[in-house]
Amino acid sequence: MTMERIYLDHNATTPLDPRVLEAMRPWLEGRFGNASSLHWFGQRARAAVEDARAQVAELVGASPAEIVFTSGGTEADNLALSGGAAAASAARRTILVSAIEHPAVLSTAKALEARGFAIRTIRVTSEGRIDEADLRGQLDETCALVSLMLANNETGVLQPVAEAAALAHGQGAVVHCDAVQAVGRVRVDVAALGCDLLSLSGHKIYGPQGVGALYVRRGTAMQALLRGGSQERNRRAGTENVAGVVGLGAAAALAGASLAEEAPRLADLRDRLEARLLTVPEARVNGNGPRLPNTTNVSFGTRDAVPLLMALDLAGVAVSTGAACAAGAAEPSHVLLAMNLPRDRVQASLRFSLGRGTTVEDIDRAAQLVAQAVERSCRSRSDAV
Ligand code: PLP
């Protein structure tokens, strides 16, 4: 008999929605065309790409011309930081990033150091939210760009992007928001956020992997990273990934339509999971304040989380020790360390991220299996003493 597996790692990736697959299918099975071609085939592909652009724009309150398709969230982040920095005036040579950004932002900022930019890091509180006073203190007229995520991928904690954008604009800086985890899970509106650049990704919203978008507010100066043809209004060269883009558009439309119902459903399930997990001795939630409805990050005393994750995997529950890319390397989470949590608690933390397919039964069973796995790890520890 095959085991019924419970997937609680939707912040790593989400399954492709069957309705998204249906929208993509013609473009994978014979329908084709280069969206830059002038003939009928090309114009059919162009129309599909432009329909998808309108769907993505609608989800974040942008106009279609402000959407640039990319190969995913990572490329959108790279384009925002590198492209935004390259377009800044010679007097603006500072980039501000929060300490809890995704590596796609942090590594790009690091690379910009070699190109003569100074990087300043905004502190976060023990609750996982940026310290606004620190941001205010570090902002000045040398700042080219401020990059602040809307929701942290490990804790789900929402960041005060609108407030940060107002402060940054007061100093003339461009504002980038990595909304890869937030889009589709909370309402995202570029006008309300006030950001100039915003990244999103298909595979976090039940769309395909390898496609994403960067919102570029009209009038925002940004150099292209990829050079070649004049696709995407000269902001991203390369023949469009029509099937991927169509999938992203369909996923965006579905996310927009289901948000009002899905967000409270997920919040209820997450709260139910948290309440059960907190009955496990020494369990503590990491991150506080407004959060994504689908995410919780919990430490189990000072137990190493990796064996716990492996035990849960064997029992049929998929969770994460943090960012998927960090998980392979078993590095302690830079996000939890930035929140000043003790190192042993950081290494004892697991992230549970729920999604469209998660049911009450999944939650109750997963909580029970976690409690059992922790208890077993206690027993094996006391046996070892
Ligand atoms: N930004 C955040 C906050 C993320 O969580 C991720 C993916 O985990 C990315 C960027 C990268 O997106 P992608 O996987 O589409 O390259």
Side-chain angles (χ1 to χ4, degrees):
M1 206 179 85
T2 56
M3 174 165 45
E4 283 280 341
R5 288 188 180 271
I6 301 172
Y7 184 75
L8 296 179
D9 200 13
H10 291 81
N11 289 11
T13 199
T14 56
L16 190 72
D17 189 299
R19 295 165 292 181
V20 172
L21 176 61
E22 278 320 299
M24 294 170 70
R25 192 185 292 283
W27 296 98
L28 298 166
E29 280 185 349
R31 195 182 292 179
F32 71 100
N34 183 321
S36 299
S37 299
L38 294 179
H39 47 62
W40 181 84
F41 294 89
Q43 292 314 296
R44 184 175 59 169
R46 167 62 49 209
V49 167
E50 295 315 314
D51 285 350
R53 199 185 304 283
Q55 289 171 310
V56 173
E58 162 101 29
L59 182 64
V60 296
S63 59
E66 294 173 315
I67 299 298
V68 177
F69 289 119
T70 66
S71 65
T74 297
E75 187 191 324
D77 284 348
N78 273 257
L79 176 58
L81 267 80
S82 295
S89 76
R92 292 186 179 271
R93 282 292 172 270
T94 309
I95 312 275
L96 256 71
V97 294
S98 87
I100 56 168
E101 294 301 309
H102 189 270
V105 166
L106 293 178
S107 311
T108 309
K110 187 101 196 97
L112 286 168
E113 260 183 335
R115 305 222 309 254
F117 286 88
I119 308 303
R120 295 181 191 160
T121 307
I122 311 159
R123 275 201 305 267
V124 295
T125 65
S126 59
E127 303 202 319
R129 202 170 147 92
I130 61 151
D131 178 343
E132 281 183 58
D134 189 40
L135 168 65
R136 206 173 287 120
Q138 299 210 57
L139 263 172
D140 59 28
E141 67 290 344
T142 69
C143 290
L145 191 135
V146 175
S147 184
L148 177 61
M149 67 201 332
L150 184 50
N152 182 263
N153 43 305
E154 295 188 35
T155 61
V157 173
L158 295 169
Q159 304 298 320
V161 172
E163 293 81 350
L167 289 171
H169 285 155
Q171 296 289 348
V174 166
V175 176
H176 167 243
C177 175
D178 176 340
V180 164
Q181 293 290 348
V183 164
R185 301 203 172 115
V186 290
R187 202 155 288 290
V188 174
D189 181 84
V190 290
L193 291 174
C195 57
D196 305 296
L197 304 162
L198 179 136
S199 307
L200 59 93
S201 173
H203 73 106
K204 310 290 186 183
I205 59 168
Y206 308 88
Q209 296 178 333
V211 62
L214 182 68
Y215 154 78
V216 184
R217 181 182 297 282
R218 193 188 310 269
T220 303
M222 191 193 72
Q223 267 190 27
L225 267 189
L226 299 188
R227 296 170 199 280
S230 58
Q231 290 92 349
E232 300 297 297
R233 297 173 183 242
N234 292 308
R235 295 170 297 187
R236 203 271 189 183
T239 300
E240 291 88 344
N241 165 13
V242 181
V245 159
V246 164
L248 177 61
L254 290 168
S258 62
L259 186 62
E261 237 178 83
E262 187 61 358
R265 188 189 79 88
L266 286 173
D268 282 352
L269 288 179
R270 191 270 316 273
D271 292 348
R272 184 180 179 103
L273 174 64
E274 234 169 43
R276 280 159 174 66
L277 294 179
L278 286 175
T279 64
V280 173
E282 299 180 283
R284 282 180 71 176
V285 173
N286 302 315
N288 200 4
R291 281 182 298 162
L292 289 177
N294 78 318
T295 307
T296 184
N297 189 302
V298 182
S299 313
F300 297 93
T302 56
R303 242 162 245 101
D304 188 355
V306 175
L308 211 50
L309 180 147
M310 303 312 283
L312 284 172
D313 189 41
L314 283 175
V317 183
V319 297
S320 156
T321 54
C325 14
E331 283 288 316
S333 152
H334 72 285
V335 173
L336 302 184
L337 288 176
M339 289 160 61
N340 241 337
L341 301 188
R343 219 178 170 80
D344 48 9
R345 183 166 151 201
V346 169
Q347 281 179 312
S349 66
L350 288 178
R351 176 185 74 184
F352 301 81
S353 49
L354 287 51
R356 235 174 241 171
T358 310
T359 63
V360 179
E361 291 73 31
D362 291 342
I363 292 301
D364 291 353
R365 179 148 175 72
Q368 192 187 20
L369 290 167
V370 172
Q372 284 171 6
V374 172
E375 207 209 321
R376 249 181 241 129
S377 82
C378 282
R379 257 193 270 129
S380 58
R381 267 208 314 192
S382 58
D383 290 350
V385 176

